[in-house]
């Protein structure tokens, strides 16, 4: 089944590459058009199984124009035979557009970075992570979480764990990770004590 899907996928890519002139004209026209309604403008970049969560679905959605940029660059300029597995982390895509970045929140983000740098013992990579504007939403969520739960040991341990998690998987929100972290948070308690 998987092999037949891959064969169909490669056949479609060959069709696109063999009709480069037609598809280039179409893509260039689409890139010049004004953006549609935000919801209509998002398409699924990679197929998700029915067992994957809604948060995974949100992370797989890409702006239609960014998708066309990827097709144009990787199939026509790079002459690749398949598209990259994920669009995140590609130099031609602005990650800010997919991480909840908002230019109006820059002052709040700068204050949150200063607070976290002062109150947490961060590694060089963790400092780099919070100072990268791509991660603005994560930084604001961390500061809000500390404000809401207090600067307690278990709060700080969770924030440090989240930073480690984001080093390899930067997509989930802090509130999603809060649920994931419950297994770590409660590992020292018996089920009776959790309640």
């Amino acid at each position: 089944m998987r092999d037949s899907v891959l064969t169909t996928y490669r056949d479609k890519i060959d069709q696109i590459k063999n009709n480069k002139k037609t598809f280039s004209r179409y893509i260039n026209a689409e890139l010049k058009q004004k953006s549609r309604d935000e919801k209509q403008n998002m398409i699924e970049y990679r197929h998700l199984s029915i067992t994957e969560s809604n948060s995974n679905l949100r992370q797989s959605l890409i702006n239609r124009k960014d998708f066309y940029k990827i097709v144009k660059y990787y199939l026509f300029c790079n002459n690749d035979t398949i598209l990259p597995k994920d669009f995140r982390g590609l130099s031609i895509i602005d990650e800010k557009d997919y991480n909840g970045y908002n230019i109006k929140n820059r002052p709040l983000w700068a204050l949150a970075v200063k607070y976290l740098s002062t109150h947490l013992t961060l590694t060089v990579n963790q400092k780099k992570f919070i100072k990268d504007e791509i991660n603005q939403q994560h930084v604001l969520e961390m500061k809000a979480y500390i404000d809401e739960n207090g600067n307690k040991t278990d709060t700080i341990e969770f924030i440090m764990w989240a930073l480690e998690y984001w080093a390899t998987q930067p997509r989930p929100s802090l509130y999603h990770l809060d649920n994931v972290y419950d297994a770590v948070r409660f590992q020292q308690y018996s089920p009776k004590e959790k309640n």
Side-chain angles (χ1 to χ4, degrees):
M1 178 70 175
R2 189 174 288 176
D3 289 343
S4 67
V5 170
L6 181 59
T7 300
T8 303
Y9 172 71
R10 287 183 183 271
D11 288 346
K12 291 292 181 188
I13 286 185
D14 286 342
Q15 285 177 14
I16 292 169
K17 291 179 77 168
N18 290 334
N19 294 292
K20 180 178 176 180
K21 190 174 181 180
T22 303
F23 280 99
S24 289
R25 199 175 323 125
Y26 174 78
I27 288 170
N28 290 334
E30 284 291 313
L31 290 174
K32 288 177 185 173
Q33 283 209 2
K34 288 186 178 179
S35 293
R36 300 177 177 94
D37 174 76
E38 186 63 29
K39 286 183 183 175
Q40 290 180 336
N41 209 26
M42 302 303 281
I43 59 173
E44 198 174 325
Y45 184 79
R46 65 183 184 89
H47 176 71
L48 297 176
S49 73
I50 56 170
T51 58
E52 294 188 77
S53 70
N54 284 340
S55 64
N56 286 338
L57 174 62
R58 284 193 300 275
Q59 297 302 327
S60 75
L61 296 176
I62 185 170
N63 177 291
R64 192 178 300 271
K65 285 190 176 184
D66 282 342
F67 176 72
Y68 289 138
K69 285 180 195 173
I70 291 171
V71 170
K72 184 177 178 180
Y73 180 79
Y74 286 94
L75 299 187
F76 301 153
C77 299
N78 248 22
N79 202 27
D80 289 346
T81 56
I82 60 172
L83 296 175
K85 186 176 179 181
D86 197 347
F87 65 90
R88 290 166 181 273
L90 300 178
S91 59
I92 61 171
I93 302 298
D94 190 347
E95 287 274 337
K96 289 179 186 175
D97 295 338
Y98 299 96
N99 284 12
Y101 175 81
N102 185 338
I103 196 164
K104 293 176 185 172
N105 288 335
R106 285 190 90 197
L108 290 174
W109 167 74
L111 289 172
V113 167
K114 187 174 182 179
Y115 177 88
L116 295 173
S117 298
T118 305
H119 291 84
L120 303 178
T121 306
L122 301 173
T123 65
V124 172
N125 285 339
Q126 289 168 339
K127 286 179 185 174
K128 188 177 174 182
F129 179 88
I130 67 170
K131 289 179 180 177
D132 188 339
E133 276 195 273
I134 288 171
N135 302 312
Q136 179 196 81
Q137 188 63 37
H138 290 325
V139 172
L140 292 173
E141 286 177 358
M142 284 188 281
K143 178 63 169 74
Y145 189 90
I146 292 171
D147 290 345
E148 186 179 320
N149 295 286
N151 201 354
K152 302 178 290 190
T153 303
D154 61 333
T155 302
I156 300 306
E157 285 175 356
F158 166 61
I159 294 295
M160 298 305 287
W161 177 86
L163 280 167
E164 287 301 312
Y165 191 98
W166 282 327
T168 56
Q169 300 180 54
R171 298 177 195 140
S173 74
L174 187 71
Y175 300 99
H176 171 76
L177 291 184
D178 192 24
N179 292 325
V180 174
Y181 187 69
D182 280 348
V184 176
R185 185 179 280 131
F186 296 126
Q187 68 186 353
Q188 298 169 10
Y189 303 108
S190 67
K192 189 175 181 181
E193 290 176 303
K194 286 184 197 178
N195 298 330

